[in-house]
Amino acid sequence: MPVIEVDNLSKIFGKRSKEALSLLDEGLSKEEILKKTGCTVGVNRAKFQVEAGEVFVIMGLSGSGKSTLVRLLNRLINPTAGDVYVHDDNLSTMNKEQLRRVRREKMSMVFQKFGLFPFRTVLENTVFGMEVQGMDKEEREKKATEALELVGLGSFIHQYPSQLSGGMQQRVGLARALANDPEILLMDEAFSALDPLIRKDMQDELMDLQEKMQKTIIFITHDLDEALRIGDRIALMKDGSIVQIGTPEEILMNPANDYVEKFVEDVDRSKVLTAENIMMRPETVDFDKHGPRVALERMREQGLSSIYVIDRTRQLKGYVNADDVLEARNNQVTSLKEIIKNDMPTVEKETPVQEIFDIIHDSPVPVAVTEEGKLRGIIVRGTLIAALANVNGNGVEDNA
Amino acid sequence: MLDFIPSLPIASWVDEAVKWVTNTFEFFFDPVKDNFGWLLDTTAEYLSMIPPVVIILLVAVLAFFMSGKKFGLAVFSIIGLLFIENQELWSELMYTFTLVLYSSLLAVVIGIPVGILMSKSNTAESIIKPVLDFMQTMPAFVYLIPAVAFFGIGMVPGVFASFIFATPPVVRFTNLGIRQVSTELVEASDAFGATGQQKLFKVELPMAKPTIMAGVNQTIMLSLSMVVIASMIGASGLGRNVLSALQRAEAGAGFVAGFAIVILAIIIDRLTQNLNKPNQ
């Protein structure tokens, strides 16, 4: 008995959506429909079931319709056609009041950019769902405190979101979604805005929580690594359609078509691409100018757990990590030189991506890309995987 | 060349319309004129009865705490207000303050709900926007004519004219502030099952508060700028001194009264600016 059943669910954006819908049934492609009617197909006849306690990952590149699909599940966006059943109740035919009850009691959502209210404290954010239901203050604060303790934020309840790091903010988002003990959790690129290392921690933590809670989770991501790590089953989306649904093994072993195949193993790409092609702009501090406070502030802003250190001429000097910097600051150390570390993996600009795999595997910090000793960029796991997952061959996806 | 189109009698149509409105709604205008006029006069009189020293101290304390326990504004308020008292303009100041107070209150009480309506409905926005443009760009003197027809002369038509001139910013800023609330926060509130009303009061208005307060500040400043114009239809206060100085070509008296208006403007502006500090 599935918890969520999605049947022929479509969303078409534009004024002539009914016309576009019938063209879609005739089998026209997304481009042809856009040309003929000016309408954009967001989601094309999606069909799947999610069982209780399952982590169902919907993955695709930007523009594949995955974020639209998740919003159709709680009707933040109204579907053009098709049905969403939660147990036996059809969301598509519900009136506002019934829909509100489902949103309050059965499903909650975690957002990419956290969706926290800046004028409310952590605790006040967490009680929001229960507050709008009219639960009394004492009870909702008790439940919220429990949820915050569950995600390890028990001592931050009176802080404001802006005082927390990205990873901690998303923990608040998660606590808010869990506080009312909903059956279904919708997570829209919940960890995509986080630094890759923190992202991995959050994934592990979600898995730990899931072991205890056994929620039904719909998880949206563009990161194949993430999908493989946390998904019980994965649905791959392209141009609004679901191209394959299966367990991670099934998808890796038996890709349903060329698209999926390229997605999961683009071996050739890894040979032609070099470090320079996939590196990201590095966040750095200059140890001639900056001390622990600046380093800490930058890390906090960007949600990083370590940061590279350079000198005036951009020569790479090493890296410092957050714990050391914090300690240095508390001990009134003013220079980063005393806590700098040198064991970072380094590659040249011309190093092929394939070779970076081995280097990046066990590295606690992003790989540094250098040219004549100067820091040019960094590479994190996510960038690497996304670079391989990008099938168009015209560059790296920017939000990886 | 365009003689074949006879000149349209717009002016006389408007005259007729004003006359019609005046006569038809006399039952409404008259009590407003009497009761509201009484309220305005009484407020100003009571304010004038309080010893200036008490008011000056109150303003200074208020300024001290609202500017985050800094002395600058408090000191300025004391010196500025003592100057006005010294120039024997105190009771005029109280009348001007009363005019600004009531026209701003009216503008805010009516403007914020209209702004909310505008932010929620694109139709409402497309209708209200040109009305606001009209209210702001039509020369302020023009409002005085129907204001006198409706409410006679005195403080009430002054408040009416200031209200029309000063309301647009608070409406616009409320609309803007609510429309600027990020999609994700609106989605978050919907996803947790908030009703429209809960969304407005728990998410949108708190998020829009700094913007709305900037609009309130603008509204107050605009209504203050109407003080002199309102005095032309008999509103009491500092504006009247400016006007009479103008008529008698007394540069000195005009300067002193004008300077008093500037002092009041700076105090009110700095006080209300502290209300639109951004959220956490």
Side-chain angles (χ1 to χ4, degrees):
Chain A
M1 178 63 202
V3 175
I4 296 180
E5 189 174 350
V6 169
D7 191 23
N8 259 321
L9 193 63
S10 297
K11 175 65 192 181
I12 293 165
F13 297 101
K15 283 188 177 144
R16 295 157 68 187
S17 58
K18 288 281 171 259
E19 195 184 329
L21 192 67
S22 55
L23 290 176
L24 200 62
D25 286 332
E26 287 167 27
L28 271 70
S29 77
K30 192 177 171 175
E31 285 77 28
E32 287 168 323
I33 290 173
L34 180 64
K35 210 176 279 175
K36 280 200 169 165
T37 63
C39 291
T40 310
V41 179
V43 172
N44 179 2
R45 290 166 295 179
K47 198 175 167 71
F48 60 85
Q49 297 176 341
V50 184
E51 302 294 330
E54 191 178 24
V55 179
F56 187 81
V57 174
I58 299 171
M59 109 143 248
L61 299 174
S62 18
S64 61
K66 55 192 191 304
S67 284
T68 310
L69 180 55
V70 75
R71 280 167 176 71
L72 292 173
L73 297 184
N74 63 355
R75 263 182 67 186
L76 283 179
I77 298 177
N78 278 314
T80 311
D83 301 300
V84 178
Y85 296 93
V86 173
H87 294 296
D88 286 328
D89 305 323
N90 188 351
L91 254 71
S92 310
T93 56
M94 281 184 180
N95 63 26
K96 273 188 177 174
E97 188 51 48
Q98 293 167 316
L99 182 64
R100 202 144 51 218
R101 190 166 305 147
V102 172
R103 285 171 175 176
R104 285 175 175 184
E105 290 164 10
K106 297 225 170 102
M107 41 170 63
S108 58
M109 192 160 175
V110 181
F111 294 86
Q112 180 171 9
K113 291 181 190 122
F114 322 135
L116 300 178
F117 307 118
F119 53 89
R120 286 174 162 240
T121 63
V122 166
L123 183 66
E124 288 164 354
N125 263 289
T126 313
V127 298
F128 184 80
M130 297 174 285
E131 186 181 319
V132 298
Q133 285 178 35
M135 189 186 285
D136 74 56
K137 193 166 181 208
E138 208 166 294
E139 193 183 351
R140 72 191 187 219
E141 290 193 343
K142 185 169 149 278
K143 282 190 167 190
T145 313
E146 284 167 11
L148 286 164
E149 272 160 11
L150 197 65
V151 299
L153 285 179
S155 48
F156 294 89
I157 57 174
H158 297 302
Q159 308 273 65
Y160 284 90
S162 60
Q163 295 169 296
L164 305 181
S165 70
M168 284 158 93
Q169 290 189 33
Q170 193 56 300
R171 281 167 209 257
V172 180
L174 193 57
R176 180 175 64 179
L178 292 173
N180 195 34
D181 199 25
E183 199 179 346
I184 302 162
L185 214 52
L186 305 175
M187 303 184 73
D188 179 25
E189 302 233 23
F191 304 149
S192 301
L194 304 175
D195 153 54
L197 301 170
I198 293 174
R199 192 187 306 173
K200 189 175 164 298
D201 289 346
M202 291 293 283
Q203 290 162 358
D204 291 343
E205 209 169 306
L206 181 67
M207 292 295 89
D208 288 347
L209 284 174
Q210 173 64 359
E211 226 162 82
K212 287 181 229 156
M213 303 180 307
Q214 293 295 314
K215 303 278 180 205
T216 305
I217 301 179
I218 314 274
F219 195 101
I220 308 294
T221 182
H222 63 259
D223 180 351
L224 183 65
D225 209 21
E226 186 166 72
L228 296 175
R229 186 196 294 273
I230 65 172
D232 292 325
R233 281 191 305 148
I234 299 171
L236 266 146
M237 281 190 84
K238 188 199 179 198
D239 292 342
S241 310
I242 294 180
V243 278
Q244 185 176 12
I245 300 182
T247 63
E249 279 75 13
E250 280 166 8
I251 292 203
L252 287 174
M253 302 308 290
N254 303 308
N257 59 25
D258 291 354
Y259 176 77
V260 181
E261 193 168 350
K262 275 189 176 174
F263 215 120
V264 294
E265 45 163 14
D266 196 340
V267 183
D268 289 333
R269 275 184 75 77
S270 69
K271 283 182 186 152
V272 273
L273 283 179
T274 65
E276 190 182 11
N277 299 123
I278 61 166
M279 68 191 186
M280 304 192 305
R281 197 180 64 80
E283 204 54 50
T284 58
V285 285
D286 179 341
F287 74 175
D288 293 324
K289 285 190 293 195
H290 303 139
R293 276 166 205 284
V294 176
L296 214 54
E297 178 63 20
R298 293 226 173 128
M299 282 188 253
R300 192 189 66 78
E301 262 174 27
Q302 304 293 329
L304 304 174
S305 56
S306 63
I307 192 163
Y308 273 113
V309 182
I310 54 172
D311 68 5
R312 273 205 191 91
T313 58
R314 287 198 76 78
Q315 288 287 329
L316 178 61
K317 292 296 175 189
Y319 72 93
V320 291
N321 61 42
D323 294 339
D324 292 346
V325 177
L326 196 62
E327 204 186 312
R329 193 197 64 178
N330 292 341
N331 295 336
Q332 309 292 331
V333 177
T334 51
S335 167
L336 291 171
K337 284 177 189 171
E338 296 174 32
I339 51 167
I340 199 162
K341 289 188 176 168
N342 287 314
D343 59 335
M344 67 278 179
T346 313
V347 297
E348 290 294 313
K349 250 172 50 173
E350 296 80 16
T351 312
V353 165
Q354 204 182 16
E355 288 172 30
I356 304 174
F357 269 114
D358 301 331
I359 304 170
I360 210 165
H361 188 64
D362 289 319
S363 167
V365 290
V367 174
V369 182
T370 56
E371 182 187 14
E372 292 167 358
K374 292 182 181 172
L375 182 65
R376 290 300 181 206
I378 55 168
I379 298 171
V380 294
R381 258 180 98 106
T383 339
L384 197 61
I385 306 282
L388 302 181
N390 186 324
V391 292
N392 302 324
N394 47 11
V396 180
E397 207 200 352
D398 54 11
N399 56 354
Chain B
M1 197 172 88
L2 294 171
D3 281 350
F4 61 93
I5 306 177
S7 173
L8 296 172
I10 303 283
S12 62
W13 289 348
V14 174
D15 283 345
E16 288 301 317
V18 170
K19 220 176 272 170
W20 181 81
V21 171
T22 312
N23 292 330
T24 317
F25 294 99
E26 205 177 356
F27 70 92
F28 171 73
F29 292 138
D30 278 355
V32 167
K33 183 169 66 186
D34 296 343
N35 295 321
F36 193 47
W38 175 84
L39 179 68
L40 287 165
D41 287 334
T42 317
T43 309
E45 275 162 27
Y46 272 106
L47 282 173
S48 307
M49 268 154 56
I50 303 173
V53 168
V54 175
I55 293 183
I56 292 173
L57 282 178
L58 278 177
V59 171
V61 169
L62 195 67
F64 177 70
F65 284 105
M66 280 181 68
S67 57
K69 303 199 175 174
K70 288 188 190 119
F71 286 103
L73 182 60
V75 171
F76 176 85
S77 305
I78 293 173
I79 297 174
L81 293 175
L82 279 176
F83 167 79
I84 296 174
E85 158 69 5
N86 174 268
Q87 297 298 311
E88 294 175 354
L89 291 171
W90 190 260
S91 92
E92 283 81 358
L93 177 72
M94 291 301 115
Y95 272 93
T96 297
F97 177 72
T98 306
L99 182 81
V100 171
L101 177 74
Y102 281 100
S103 53
S104 308
L105 266 182
L106 209 56
V108 169
V109 167
I110 293 174
I112 290 181
V114 172
I116 292 170
L117 175 73
M118 213 170 148
S119 71
K120 293 288 169 191
S121 147
N122 287 332
T123 321
E125 190 187 35
S126 59
I127 295 169
I128 295 170
K129 241 187 186 158
V131 176
L132 296 180
D133 293 338
F134 183 91
M135 286 162 75
Q136 273 188 307
T137 47
M138 179 63 90
F141 291 102
V142 178
Y143 300 136
L144 299 183
I145 309 165
V148 170
F150 298 157
F151 300 110
I153 57 165
M155 292 284 268
V156 179
V159 170
F160 174 79
S162 307
F163 162 76
I164 290 183
F165 187 63
T167 306
V170 72
V171 178
R172 283 188 211 275
F173 276 69
T174 304
N175 176 35
L176 180 74
I178 292 177
R179 281 178 187 264
Q180 268 177 346
V181 176
S182 81
T183 336
E184 208 174 57
L185 293 187
V186 174
E187 278 186 341
S189 128
D190 285 337
F192 283 98
T195 60
Q197 211 177 354
Q198 287 172 327
K199 183 164 68 176
L200 180 68
F201 286 104
K202 289 182 192 292
V203 178
E204 291 172 325
L205 286 180
M207 284 305 289
K209 195 185 130 207
T211 314
I212 295 175
M213 283 305 166
V216 170
N217 172 276
Q218 289 299 301
T219 286
I220 296 174
M221 290 298 107
L222 282 186
S223 72
L224 192 56
S225 75
M226 280 292 284
V227 163
V228 177
I229 295 174
S231 73
M232 296 177 70
I233 47 173
S236 324
L238 293 165
R240 191 179 279 179
N241 294 50
V242 174
L243 191 68
S244 76
L246 176 69
Q247 286 157 348
R248 296 176 206 163
E250 294 171 345
F255 176 79
V256 171
F259 196 58
I261 293 177
V262 172
I263 290 169
L264 179 62
I266 291 176
I267 295 174
I268 295 182
D269 179 57
R270 298 300 186 276
L271 278 180
T272 51
Q273 256 180 23
N274 287 308
L275 293 174
N276 59 18
K277 290 234 173 79
N279 285 317
Q280 273 288 330

